[in-house]
Amino acid sequence: MPDHRRLGRELGLFDTDPLIGAGLPYWLPDGAVLRHTLEEYIRDAERRAGYRHVYSPVLGKRELYEISGHWAHYSDDMFPPMDLGGEQVVLRPSLCPHHAVIYRSRSHSYRELPLRMAELGGMYRSELSGVLGGLTRVRAIQLNDAHIFCTLDQVAEEAHAALDMIRRAYEALGITPTRFRLSLPGAGGKYVAAPEKWERATALLTDVLDRSGLSYEAVEGEAAFYGPKIDVQVTDSAGRESTLSTVQVDFHQPEQFDLHYIGPDGAKHRPVMVHRSIIGSVERAVAHLIEQHGGAFPAWLAPTQLAVLPLTGAESANARAFAGRCAEQGLRAEVLGPEQGSLGARVRQARLVPYQAVIGPKESADDRVALRLRDGRRIDARPEDDVLARVGAVVRARATDLWDEAGS
């Protein structure tokens, strides 16, 4: 498995600069395309699953994190507060306090629950320089986060649905998890002291895992400070394991922020807060995808989906026109002309691109293209409309196979 730090730079996806700072990578154009495509995928999946998206500030008053418990249990991983107009504000280490406040800003009926609130938002962790590396451990994180406010009876179903979303996302992305972990509290004072809530939350997640049929391991000392978690673990090129996706049950923050909904009896009731992240941080997800695929990303995710290769300068105008048609169809195409080397050299240059569309004199005369697929297959010259339709169908379906032979 290749190291994403080396390959990501070689492919022009991301880089770092000491002037910006350690743990603060920047995204180059192809990396930005990859990131944007991944973000749009997860937003669309969440919309289809009934989530509503919000935006919230990356700053919050220190008091916000004192209420949530982050200041007491997590401040070592937070950036120092900044004095601002007689107040102290902090770069947020997580999104959940903001979402609790957003929920609290409106009254809610039991008829609205479960209320699924999602955000792809920035958060910041004061990681030590010794543990920073590439995209896996960074200080500025773009997190695919969501919080489901629901009744106690709805918790299991929502946790199951989140696990199913994780499974489908991993299939589309070509990710194979290393293991599932039930993360429990350990010794020490980093956890909220509420034994009854811990027992209830742990029992709920254990039942979800048992009913799902997934093999899992219970590990102490890996819980969030407010509750247990189901963590989906992946392994990098160096054999290091990390958490990519998570599902958590939280009884703590709804109480801290005095959240409630009006039940069928007309009285106030406390909701349960289910935290879940389908792909975790965008940075860590991309790092794993680079290593998992060696830069040969699924067609729908690839920064360049078609490399258009005119045989000679005489076909360059047709090649540019075909690339323009690709763009109109929502496909990402790049022309590699003869000025960039021989056809063989350009084929090698585009070896990680899913499709190479070769246009010679015969193809140019008939508005056809001959395809070379990344997996080594060659498709005889076909009309441009046919190629666009076939490749577009693969991309829209997020299919793993680059060409459906049955449709040839």
Side-chain angles (χ1 to χ4, degrees):
M1 184 183 286
D3 188 324
H4 84 277
R5 293 170 295 183
R6 175 187 58 79
L7 188 55
R9 288 176 170 85
E10 289 177 0
L11 295 176
L13 300 177
F14 71 92
D15 214 328
T16 57
D17 191 288
L19 192 59
I20 295 177
L24 299 169
Y26 56 84
W27 297 85
L28 294 163
D30 278 355
V33 170
L34 179 59
R35 170 176 163 168
H36 177 78
T37 304
L38 184 61
E39 290 176 351
E40 284 302 297
Y41 163 74
I42 199 62
R43 284 195 184 99
D44 182 61
E46 287 170 339
R47 282 192 293 267
R48 292 171 185 269
Y51 287 80
R52 304 291 301 278
H53 288 93
V54 298
Y55 289 106
S56 58
V58 298
L59 292 168
K61 289 173 62 175
R62 172 175 166 170
E63 182 184 359
L64 175 69
Y65 306 105
E66 290 174 341
I67 293 171
S68 70
H70 285 82
W71 194 255
H73 299 279
Y74 201 74
S75 58
D76 288 346
D77 296 299
M78 297 170 62
F79 281 98
M82 296 172 278
D83 293 321
L84 185 65
E87 298 178 334
Q88 287 193 322
V89 295
V90 182
L91 283 167
R92 66 178 175 195
S94 66
L95 282 70
C96 43
H98 286 77
H99 288 188
V101 170
I102 292 173
Y103 176 90
R104 194 179 66 178
S105 70
R106 301 288 187 273
S107 60
H108 300 281
S109 162
Y110 71 96
R111 295 185 180 89
E112 298 174 59
L113 306 186
L115 191 156
R116 305 180 185 99
M117 187 185 301
E119 181 175 1
L120 242 168
M123 65 182 200
Y124 303 85
R125 303 277 172 90
S126 182
E127 299 277 12
L128 298 175
S129 58
V131 301
L132 298 172
L135 296 176
T136 53
R137 294 294 291 267
V138 294
R139 288 172 170 161
I141 303 163
Q142 197 73 13
L143 186 69
N144 160 233
D145 205 6
H147 299 92
I148 304 161
F149 301 90
C150 60
T151 68
L152 183 62
D153 292 343
Q154 294 169 334
V155 169
E157 183 178 349
E158 291 302 312
H160 271 294
L163 282 175
D164 192 51
M165 284 186 72
I166 292 169
R167 177 189 59 78
R168 293 198 303 272
Y170 281 26
E171 287 178 358
L173 295 166
I175 294 175
T176 302
T178 301
R179 63 172 176 147
F180 290 81
R181 187 179 73 191
L182 177 60
S183 298
L184 303 173
K190 68 181 254 187
Y191 302 102
V192 170
E196 188 176 314
K197 293 175 184 173
W198 281 97
E199 289 174 9
R200 292 173 72 193
T202 300
L204 281 165
L205 288 182
T206 301
D207 183 61
V208 167
L209 283 167
D210 289 341
R211 287 171 50 201
S212 71
L214 293 169
S215 175
Y216 67 94
E217 299 175 56
V219 180
E220 294 185 354
E222 296 293 343
F225 72 83
Y226 48 77
K229 306 183 291 174
I230 297 172
D231 287 328
V232 186
Q233 304 296 104
V234 295
T235 303
D236 69 9
S237 59
R240 294 180 296 248
E241 188 180 288
S242 60
T243 300
L244 188 59
S245 310
T246 187
V247 182
Q248 310 169 12
V249 172
D250 182 2
F251 291 103
H252 172 71
Q253 291 190 70
E255 183 174 301
Q256 290 297 107
F257 287 99
D258 191 26
L259 306 185
H260 59 264
Y261 65 90
I262 304 301
D265 57 358
K268 290 183 178 180
H269 297 268
R270 186 83 67 205
V272 183
M273 197 170 172
V274 177
H275 306 235
R276 55 103 287 212
S277 183
I278 302 305
I279 59 168
S281 76
V282 173
E283 292 78 10
R284 184 170 290 179
V286 170
H288 189 72
L289 287 168
I290 293 171
E291 296 189 352
Q292 183 89 25
H293 297 292
F297 302 108
W300 67 273
L301 197 56
T304 300
Q305 294 165 326
L306 293 100
V308 187
L309 311 175
L311 199 58
T312 69
E315 292 82 47
S316 292
N318 292 71
R320 289 192 296 270
F322 179 65
R325 294 193 64 195
C326 290
E328 290 172 359
Q329 297 294 318
L331 298 171
R332 299 184 287 272
E334 179 182 355
V335 178
L336 299 179
E339 69 278 1
Q340 295 175 258
S342 67
L343 180 62
R346 286 178 280 149
V347 166
R348 290 190 295 275
Q349 180 182 342
R351 68 191 183 281
L352 297 178
V353 176
Y355 303 95
Q356 298 175 7
V358 180
I359 301 178
K362 291 182 180 179
E363 289 83 9
S364 183
D366 297 332
D367 291 329
R368 289 171 169 260
V369 296
L371 283 183
R372 294 169 178 253
L373 307 189
R374 184 174 58 200
D375 58 19
R377 284 178 287 172
R378 296 192 183 193
I379 310 299
D380 292 337
R382 289 173 174 267
E384 290 182 0
D385 288 343
D386 183 40
V387 169
L388 288 170
R390 295 283 294 276
V391 173
V394 169
V395 170
R396 286 190 298 274
R398 301 189 180 95
T400 55
D401 189 6
L402 296 178
W403 195 263
D404 180 7
E405 298 291 354
S408 299

